[in-house]
Amino acid sequence: METLKFLLFNVHDLKSVLEQERFAEYDEASIAMMLDSVKDFSDKELYPYFREMDENPAHFKDGEIIVHPQVNKYMKAGGDMGFISGPFSYESGGMQMPSMAVNASAFIQEAANNHLPGYIGLTVGAAELIAHFGNQFLKDTYVPKMISGAWGGTMCLTEPQAGSSLSDIVTTAIPDGDAYKINGQKIFISGGDYKGAENIVHLVLARIKGAPAGTKGISLFVVPKHRLDEGGNLEDNDVTTVGDFQKMGQKGYCTTHLFFGDKEDCTGWLVGEPNQGLKYMFLMMNGARIAVGRGAAAIATGAYHASLNYAKERPQGRELQQTGKKDASQEQTLIINHPDVRRMLLLQKVITEGALSLVFLTSRYQDLSQSLPDAESRAKYKLLLEILTPVVKTYPSEMGITSVNNGVQVLGGYGFCSDYILQQYLRDIRISAIYEGTTGIQSQDLLGRKVTMENGKALQLLSEEIMNTIKESMAYEALKPLAEKLGNKLELTQEVLKSLMTYAAKGDYQRFLADATPFMEFFSTIIMAWQWLDIGCEAQKALLSGDTNFSAEFYENKIHAMQFYFKYELPKTTGLAELLMDKQALTLNSEKQVFA
């Protein structure tokens, strides 16, 4: 909690966001109190069920999805405590809380039990789509029930034959008075149905009869499991759960296969204008992708503290002496005293804390892009949010897996056994690199769209933000060498992009994007060095000024972690740059049988 508050209040300056008119009813003290209450709730109502939900998975039985009883209790609590209503405007019945605070609250919950918050997260996302783009009838009918926790929500995109290729979806919508008849199926629908839920409101992508082919012909519909009859009572809407998917992790978070219109009596209501469905869905995708990164950071954080606690308690072997020998007569030492174990723990620390810092940074950009009074400033932060969204989704997910994997290694053989929790964290986090667009999709978005958007303006603005941190850090003698290293990496980024852009300039976009994923790794490693320099700068400033909000040891630990990141992680970009600028094209399709 200390690290969370340091990042939120000190490093990313929540106060400057709270000064905006939209958030005028909040101050730092009220947010801190809220987070403490969320921590208390999570300790009592989430963490105790973490292993239990893994051992007793959600499952399909007799036409229903059976979930742990805590799911329904959590949805009700989520409505009562404002977990759902937090980001919504006062006009929509919400709490109008800044994204930074909402994500801090969700992070605490996900660190305690990552199987539960997804039910609320998808309800928030679906209700936000209705609140932003729906007509008054849809807003009045669905949003209040959803943000109260009485009704759940989902987003239904994927179909069996289409996968991530949304241009290939075939679910149909045929006009029927002021609504539409929906027919089709959707797979991998998280929180799609479960016993005890009064209603589930699905946001469904479908094609209106006669719509253009591809993504240009996709519309968005509200399709509830139960619709309201003329008397205001719930009746069946011909939405059928035909099965579920048993996953390697997050087993308490149900994933369903749904069929719409099996009896040709499924009614959907159009959201906004026809053929704009994908645009609406993706306008809300920034929040969803931040949420995936946040969840991955939370899982990795839980795993880090589990392996750290183990290392502090487990005696094994003797410390290696300066002579290179061990004294067998000595008592065994705790494994945290072994340098290689400390290296793995420090790697976990820099990944998890750096990832949380990135979550708060993008949340801050999201808040400022919506709340600043002048349009030019809002546009600036929107561009910064756009370029960092694929990074905040990908780095915590991919490196979170690396982090938890190191946690398993810290426990040795016990890490591979179900008696200990590390193996569950590793299974749970693996889906993060797939949720809301795989790593490959995010990487192509970063290099193919975000880096080049508005003639590189987003990248320019991001470089300016990084340079501001470098300039501030140069004022501290201890940080100068690290600031200079980061500056050199910015120059290397320009060199890499210049090399890659030669393919785009020739119209060879397949070659341009062939190594988008290594570019994501290169780019995000530099972004995280920026985060750690920012953290180290704030800690250094606090030490020199005698700041007592946190202990001197706390600040010194942050500086040590920053130094570790710059020594062990940042140098990897040199090899990645060499890879990215190599002219060989070894992954492009050709007549050569490379997989024979």
Side-chain angles (χ1 to χ4, degrees), residues 206-405:
R207 294 185 186 282
I208 298 172
K209 190 175 180 181
T215 56
K216 292 180 181 178
I218 297 175
S219 299
L220 183 65
F221 298 88
V222 170
V223 187
K225 179 182 179 181
H226 301 293
R227 63 194 180 216
L228 294 173
D229 64 17
E230 291 181 1
N233 301 306
L234 291 174
E235 64 177 14
D236 183 71
N237 192 36
D238 195 14
V239 178
T240 309
T241 303
V242 296
D244 72 335
F245 296 89
Q246 289 298 308
K247 304 171 294 187
M248 67 182 282
Q250 289 201 334
K251 294 185 177 186
Y253 185 24
C254 66
T255 304
T256 59
H257 184 171
L258 304 176
F259 201 96
F260 300 87
D262 185 46
K263 301 170 186 172
E264 299 184 0
D265 188 30
C266 180
T267 303
W269 286 265
L270 181 67
V271 177
E273 299 297 320
N275 305 327
Q276 299 296 309
L278 207 57
K279 175 185 172 185
Y280 297 150
M281 191 71 82
F282 276 93
L283 281 170
M284 306 307 299
M285 203 58 77
N286 278 341
R289 288 175 173 169
I290 292 172
V292 172
R294 179 197 70 214
I299 295 169
T301 297
Y304 164 54
H305 285 283
S307 56
L308 177 62
N309 289 340
Y310 180 89
K312 287 179 176 179
E313 297 170 355
R314 167 68 171 170
Q316 185 177 313
R318 279 88 184 162
E319 284 190 76
L320 189 66
Q321 298 175 349
Q322 293 294 332
T323 61
K325 296 180 180 180
K326 296 178 182 179
D327 185 351
S329 65
Q330 285 185 342
E331 288 189 7
Q332 289 188 318
T333 188
L334 296 175
I335 63 171
I336 197 168
N337 294 323
H338 298 309
D340 196 59
V341 172
R342 296 173 71 84
R343 178 191 59 78
M344 290 187 285
L345 290 168
L346 279 165
L347 179 61
Q348 287 185 269
K349 179 181 176 68
V350 296
I351 290 171
T352 55
E353 294 183 10
L356 180 58
S357 179
L358 184 61
V359 168
F360 286 152
L361 176 69
T362 48
S363 303
R364 184 172 189 273
Y365 288 162
Q366 187 174 44
D367 286 329
L368 295 175
S369 72
Q370 296 169 350
S371 65
L372 288 172
D374 63 296
E376 187 178 344
S377 294
R378 290 197 304 273
K380 169 190 169 181
Y381 287 107
K382 187 173 187 303
L383 281 172
L384 286 167
L385 175 63
E386 288 286 346
I387 195 169
L388 282 184
T389 295
V391 180
V392 74
K393 191 275 179 187
T394 302
Y395 180 87
S397 299
E398 290 288 357
M399 291 304 293
I401 294 168
T402 298
S403 177
V404 181
N405 192 45

Side-chain angles (χ1 to χ4, degrees), residues 462-495:
L462 183 61
S463 297
E464 290 171 2
E465 294 276 294
I466 297 171
M467 282 306 302
N468 288 338
T469 301
I470 290 173
K471 288 173 185 173
E472 185 179 1
S473 302
M474 292 294 282
Y476 303 99
E477 201 62 38
L479 302 186
K480 265 186 182 180
L482 305 185
E484 288 170 355
K485 279 185 180 180
L486 182 55
N488 292 336
K489 295 301 180 182
L490 284 186
E491 292 177 8
L492 182 60
T493 303
Q494 292 299 325
E495 194 178 336

Side-chain angles (χ1 to χ4, degrees), residues 4 102-112 293-299 301-302 352 356 359-360:
L4 183 145
V102 170
N103 280 318
S105 167
F107 174 86
I108 294 168
Q109 296 168 62
E110 287 161 336
R294 179 197 70 214
I299 295 169
T301 297
T352 55
L356 180 58
V359 168
F360 286 152

Side-chain angles (χ1 to χ4, degrees), residues 157-158 162-169 205 207 214-215 218 278 282:
L157 290 74
T158 308
S164 297
S165 178
L166 296 179
S167 62
D168 295 315
I169 67 170
L205 291 181
R207 294 185 186 282
T215 56
I218 297 175
L278 207 57
F282 276 93

